[in-house]
Amino acid sequence: MTTSLVDTDALDHAVSDLRAGQDSWAATPPTERVALLERMLPRIIARAADMAEAGARAKGYAPESRVAAEDWIGAPWALTQNVSALLHVLRRLAAGQEPLPARAVRERQGRTVVDVFPATGWDRLLLNGFTAEVRTLPGTTPRQVRERAGGLYRSRGRGRAPRARVSLVLGAGNVAAITALDILHKLYAENQVVLAKMNPVNDYLRPHFAEIFAEFTARGWVRFVAGGAAEGAYLAAHHGIDTLHVTGSDRTHDALVWGTDDRAEERRRDDTPLLDKEFTSELGGVSPCIVTPGPWSDADFRFQAEHIVTSKMNNSGHNCIATQVLVVPADWDGTEKLLTEIRAVLRALPPRTDYYPGAQDRLAAVRAAHPETETLGADGCRLLVPDVTDHGDPLITDEVFASALAVVRLPGTDPGDFLKEAVAFANDVLPGTLGATLLVHPRTEKSHSRQVDEAIDSLRYGTLGVNCWSAIGFLLGYTPWGAHPGHTRQGIGSGIGFVHNAFMLEDVEKTVLRAPFAPAPRGLFTGSPSISPRPPFYVTNKTALTTIRRVTAFTAAPSLAKLPGIFASALRG
């Protein structure tokens, strides 16, 4: 590798600082670790508006626009929520309690399940009707889950010194909070000090993160550096780096591990990597949204169309978990109604740009391959390909990472028959196992409970959202985030390992999220009662910016006095 243009002295110095500080972080007691997070929260709030504004301007819209709610959700709120989740667990551990309440771990049909959300009374109030459970690997018992949760901190109590290591986090360029959340996970769940290389696409966040992590940098536990692929490759191979975590594409992983020369494929085949270090990763894929036929009302079609469009258009589609393939029943009369509503929602959205590098070329390739592509926005993005039939189509085989949505129609008017087809398609045709979304009417789930349960059990994804975009699992902090287990470095797929995971659970197979099928008060009549209105992360929410600003302030410092303002804004959304 050529390093002539890389400032290796600065990178070496950053690694050296961390190696000097690793033992002091390992020795930092839980009470001080709690205090560090408590002092971090006000710094997040102090930088929140500037951080969100930087993201909005970089993506081409005004900080006061409705779209800017995404930058609040993807940066300050995600950070405050994840820090709060860690604090909830660490405070329990510091007080000598189990990290998980005993009632949270249970056995169901021979499998161990952990209820991780809601974790607090505030959770039940602010995200009423939203739940999450973690399903552990086959053979794991409830006792093992309880004993292994929070293992790093429980081993301290048994007099075992935790191991100190230096981790390289290669940051993502799309969602602002990703790099910061990976740092927190490495520090608090894996006991590693962190060298974070920012992605060039959002390096503008570096001064904000440096301030938020100021205490950690001052004590030699975190360092931030800039740079591109050359700097990343140099640091990955550095003798002072023990472990790596990367968010990006499988190509990034393979370039680091196997190289890019003409012997790369030979190395992969023989499993003789250039880089043989502990490596975790989150690498995306082609994510489906599966629509189960059922007794949907006109209001259901509109609400779920908003939901689907949100899962595609959030961050202009530049999400590793963005819905790319809408899987619908070919013979259900609701399919065309749903697509009509999706078109209407897409057309009504305010203009925005596909800002991520290469997006325009990828969208052009979609148009060239599909003359029938519908462009549903004057800005030239928001592409809908209404009937993809070839399983070798690039929209099926490659992550587009932009605002194009493919529709795949599968047989089966009966929900049970359709779900069998949809599960097989998602598991065996679509690449990637990071996340999937399943939409099912509560009455359909009740009348076809066995088939729906089988679909949920069978879908091989690290996060499955039932009536809930799976990306919500990225935000909550309590929900482990990563690919379904089974990938290897020779076939990396969507990656290896889980991050976030405030309860520090081991033996994770997947998280199953649930949300109300319909908002309040209509949910009372659909069988999904809750007090949750249209969620603030919906791209159609009119008051999202105000609501999420208020929710961010509340999450950092909960107070009953702040609730009326949140509810007043949320109910107008």
Side-chain angles (χ1 to χ4, degrees):
M1 181 195 68
T2 300
T3 60
S4 58
L5 299 180
V6 175
D7 184 358
T8 57
D9 287 344
L11 300 180
D12 292 342
H13 185 69
V15 174
S16 177
D17 286 349
L18 291 167
R19 295 211 74 86
Q22 62 184 357
D23 289 338
S24 65
W25 172 248
T28 301
T31 51
E32 175 58 12
R33 293 188 180 203
V34 166
L36 285 160
L37 291 176
E38 290 172 340
R39 294 193 293 268
M40 178 184 277
L41 284 170
R43 292 199 299 275
I44 297 172
I45 296 303
R47 304 292 298 198
D50 290 342
M51 189 163 33
E53 178 177 346
R57 295 198 184 282
K59 298 171 190 177
Y61 46 82
E64 295 301 319
S65 70
R66 194 170 81 191
V67 182
E70 295 175 8
D71 297 285
W72 276 83
I73 293 169
W77 183 74
L79 271 168
T80 54
Q81 173 63 24
N82 275 259
V83 169
S84 297
L86 278 170
L87 279 169
H88 172 74
V89 176
L90 291 172
R91 284 168 177 156
R92 289 180 62 91
L93 287 164
Q97 298 176 303
E98 299 289 317
L100 287 159
R103 67 181 182 279
V105 185
R106 53 198 168 86
E107 193 170 37
R108 185 177 63 215
Q109 298 178 345
R111 295 291 297 277
T112 300
V113 175
V114 186
D115 295 315
V116 295
F117 190 87
T120 70
W122 298 126
D123 296 334
R124 292 180 181 87
L125 192 61
L126 290 179
L127 284 171
N128 188 257
F130 285 71
T131 64
E133 64 180 30
V134 172
R135 301 186 177 193
T136 60
L137 292 169
T140 311
T141 67
R143 179 177 178 179
Q144 287 172 328
V145 169
R146 285 191 292 267
E147 289 178 346
R148 294 171 183 173
L152 169 65
Y153 297 89
R154 301 169 88 175
S155 65
R156 283 174 174 270
R158 294 190 284 268
R160 279 185 253 160
R163 183 183 176 194
R165 292 188 291 176
V166 178
S167 178
L168 170 65
V169 167
L170 296 176
N174 55 339
V175 178
I178 290 177
T179 303
L181 299 186
D182 290 343
I183 294 169
L184 286 171
H185 178 83
K186 285 292 183 180
L187 285 165
Y188 279 86
E190 299 187 17
N191 206 46
Q192 299 173 19
V193 295
V194 180
L195 176 55
K197 188 196 79 65
M198 298 296 296
N199 190 293
V201 176
N202 61 6
D203 189 59
Y204 57 82
L205 293 167
R206 187 154 44 106
H208 301 289
F209 290 165
E211 175 59 28
I212 289 168
F213 284 93
E215 283 193 84
F216 295 84
T217 57
R219 295 167 76 168
W221 300 331
V222 173
R223 287 289 180 271
F224 292 96
V225 297
E231 286 79 5
Y234 177 79
L235 288 169
H238 199 289
H239 64 86
I241 295 293
D242 300 311
T243 75
L244 294 91
H245 179 78
V246 59
T247 302
S249 72
D250 54 355
R251 296 182 300 277
T252 301
H253 169 274
D254 289 349
L256 289 169
V257 173
W258 309 112
T260 57
D261 60 13
D262 55 8
R263 293 190 58 202
E265 197 54 42
E266 177 186 341
R267 293 188 197 100
R268 187 210 301 266
R269 185 185 64 244
D270 297 339
D271 197 19
T272 54
L274 292 174
L275 184 69
D276 190 12
K277 295 183 180 182
E278 183 180 317
F279 203 133
T280 55
S281 50
E282 188 258 272
L283 304 174
V286 175
S287 295
C289 176
I290 299 170
V291 180
T292 312
W296 292 28
S297 68
D298 289 345
D300 293 334
F301 283 111
R302 177 66 185 192
F303 183 74
Q304 293 302 339
E306 295 175 8
H307 189 184
I308 292 162
V309 170
T310 294
S311 72
K312 173 74 271 181
M313 287 302 301
N314 176 278
N315 200 29
S316 294
H318 305 315
N319 292 324
C320 54
I321 199 65
T323 293
Q324 183 164 314
V325 178
L326 182 64
V327 183
V328 294
D331 302 318
W332 179 44
D333 60 4
T335 291
E336 291 306 322
K337 292 179 183 179
L338 179 61
L339 291 177
T340 296
E341 291 292 346
I342 286 172
R343 292 181 178 102
V345 175
L346 285 167
R347 287 191 187 101
L349 291 181
R352 61 192 304 172
T353 59
D354 280 273
Y355 68 88
Y356 209 83
Q360 292 303 319
D361 291 339
R362 294 190 294 275
L363 292 176
V366 171
R367 293 189 192 95
H370 295 279
E372 75 280 18
T373 296
E374 301 173 22
T375 302
L376 298 164
D379 43 23
C381 60
R382 298 178 241 171
L383 306 185
L384 179 69
V385 184
D387 192 9
V388 176
T389 57
D390 179 4
H391 288 181
D393 191 290
L395 278 169
I396 303 298
T397 61
D398 301 315
E399 184 177 3
V400 72
F401 211 67
S403 53
L405 178 65
V407 179
V408 170
R409 302 162 191 257
L410 297 178
T413 53
D414 175 78
D417 294 339
F418 170 75
L419 285 172
K420 287 181 182 177
E421 296 279 349
V423 169
F425 174 77
N427 282 346
D428 302 332
V429 177
L430 296 181
T433 64
L434 186 61
T437 300
L438 173 65
L439 302 182
V440 55
H441 193 287
R443 289 204 290 274
T444 303
E445 183 167 7
K446 184 176 181 181
S447 62
H448 294 76
S449 58
R450 179 180 60 80
Q451 293 97 326
V452 173
D453 286 346
E454 286 176 354
I456 293 170
D457 290 343
S458 301
L459 282 162
R460 294 193 296 269
Y461 289 87
T463 298
L464 174 64
V466 180
N467 298 328
C468 179
W469 181 27
S470 55
I472 304 308
F474 168 85
L475 297 168
L476 296 179
Y478 299 104
T479 43
W481 182 252
H484 195 274
H487 299 302
T488 67
R489 65 185 178 189
Q490 289 169 285
I492 194 61
S494 290
I496 296 172
F498 288 91
V499 291
H500 308 181
N501 191 12
F503 289 111
M504 290 163 270
L505 300 173
E506 297 185 19
D507 306 305
V508 172
E509 181 187 61
K510 65 181 174 185
T511 298
V512 178
L513 297 161
R514 285 183 174 270
F517 181 78
R522 194 164 53 81
L524 292 171
F525 307 104
T526 65
S528 55
S530 75
I531 62 171
S532 289
R534 176 184 284 105
F537 59 86
Y538 272 36
V539 292
T540 50
N541 191 300
K542 299 180 181 65
T543 60
L545 183 57
T546 297
T547 301
I548 201 61
R549 283 171 170 168
R550 292 175 179 175
V551 168
T552 301
F554 177 91
T555 305
S559 165
L560 286 172
K562 297 175 183 176
L563 290 176
I566 292 173
F567 291 139
S569 179
L571 291 170
R572 295 196 306 272

